[in-house]
Amino acid sequence: YAEENKTIISVKNGNFVLIDPLQNNFIIEHGAKILAENGDILAGNVTGIKEILQDPQGRVGIYVTKEHFTELRAPKGKVVIANARETVLLDADTVVVNNLINNIKVHAKHLIVFGTTMNYNCEIELTPGGSMTFHDEGSGFALSDDATIKLENGKIFKFRELKTSNMVGFGKQITYDYLDNLDKKTKRDTGFKIGFKFFRKK
């Protein structure tokens, strides 16, 4: 998977579109890099790859993992795909996806997830004024508590913090501003009632 063998496509004006990608079983994979500078990307399933290599220092029985991210970037538009699986980077103003499966990184202003799965090693970074929306109408069990949410200002959360706030699923919109103030809200709500008196933890 040498860099010189990877597919690189750049569209300066217009969209990158695969026609009926699921029906035609089109998959973008193996570290391909696609950029739509001023448009959208419409594709099917997207997958990267992890390569297991022998230790570069020659130590016997020691191996290292090299990640080859498949990258889809539409900085001024939308990336709309089916499933992102195994080492994928999605970077766009708006990302629309079914499922985020195993080592997926998303950088977006708006993220919309229609499926039920997001693994523990997925990472979402939102930009100011943005939002996340999850349409899972079940228990949310397969949306991992340990997935990481980052804000552009440096704040980091685990997905469990949103689950406990009852903000996940059923198309509820989780805004950047809500996340930015989540730690303040948590501090205000840290307390318990005994009788009719309210005590706060110090």
Side-chain angles (χ1 to χ4, degrees):
Y1 302 103
E3 290 296 326
E4 60 268 22
N5 295 329
K6 293 178 182 177
T7 300
I8 299 176
I9 298 174
S10 180
V11 181
K12 292 189 176 296
N13 293 294
N15 305 319
F16 176 90
V17 178
L18 295 179
I19 304 300
D20 295 327
L22 295 179
Q23 182 178 347
N24 291 315
N25 199 30
F26 292 145
I27 300 175
I28 300 175
E29 59 185 351
H30 289 172
K33 302 182 189 304
I34 298 175
L35 169 65
E37 292 186 16
N38 296 288
D40 304 329
I41 296 175
L42 175 62
N45 292 316
V46 181
T47 182
I49 194 166
K50 289 184 179 181
E51 189 177 9
I52 307 299
L53 303 172
Q54 288 188 331
D55 179 61
Q57 298 178 7
R59 291 175 293 182
V60 178
I62 303 297
Y63 299 89
V64 296
T65 301
K66 185 175 182 180
E67 298 176 331
H68 299 271
F69 277 87
T70 297
E71 301 179 8
L72 274 61
R73 299 178 184 270
K76 298 179 181 179
K78 302 180 183 69
V79 168
V80 181
I81 65 170
N83 297 311
R85 184 187 300 270
E86 298 289 349
T87 315
V88 172
L89 171 64
L90 306 173
D91 182 0
D93 180 79
T94 300
V95 171
V96 182
V97 61
N98 275 345
N99 296 295
L100 304 170
I101 304 169
N102 197 18
N103 196 28
I104 309 302
K105 298 182 184 298
V106 177
H107 181 271
K109 186 171 185 178
H110 301 288
L111 170 64
I112 302 170
V113 178
F114 283 101
T116 61
T117 302
M118 178 172 65
N119 290 150
Y120 74 97
N121 54 358
C122 293
E123 179 180 295
I124 298 167
E125 183 175 353
L126 283 186
T127 58
S131 65
M132 300 186 300
T133 306
F134 293 84
H135 287 271
D136 179 13
E137 295 186 356
S139 65
F141 178 78
L143 297 170
S144 175
D145 291 358
D146 293 317
T148 301
I149 312 298
K150 292 183 176 181
L151 302 185
E152 197 172 81
N153 62 14
K155 291 184 179 180
I156 299 176
F157 307 90
K158 288 298 183 181
F159 200 65
R160 68 172 62 89
E161 297 178 58
L162 303 183
K163 282 186 171 181
T164 56
S165 300
N166 197 30
M167 289 297 295
V168 176
F170 298 92
K172 295 178 182 177
Q173 189 179 68
I174 307 166
T175 66
Y176 183 100
D177 290 339
Y178 175 86
L179 292 169
D180 194 25
N181 290 292
L182 186 60
D183 55 341
K184 300 174 186 176
K185 184 177 186 300
T186 302
K187 289 177 182 177
R188 288 198 304 269
D189 292 345
T190 302
F192 50 91
K193 289 185 178 180
I194 299 179
F196 296 99
K197 294 184 178 181
F198 185 79
F199 297 88
R200 293 187 180 275
K201 295 179 181 179
K202 297 182 179 179

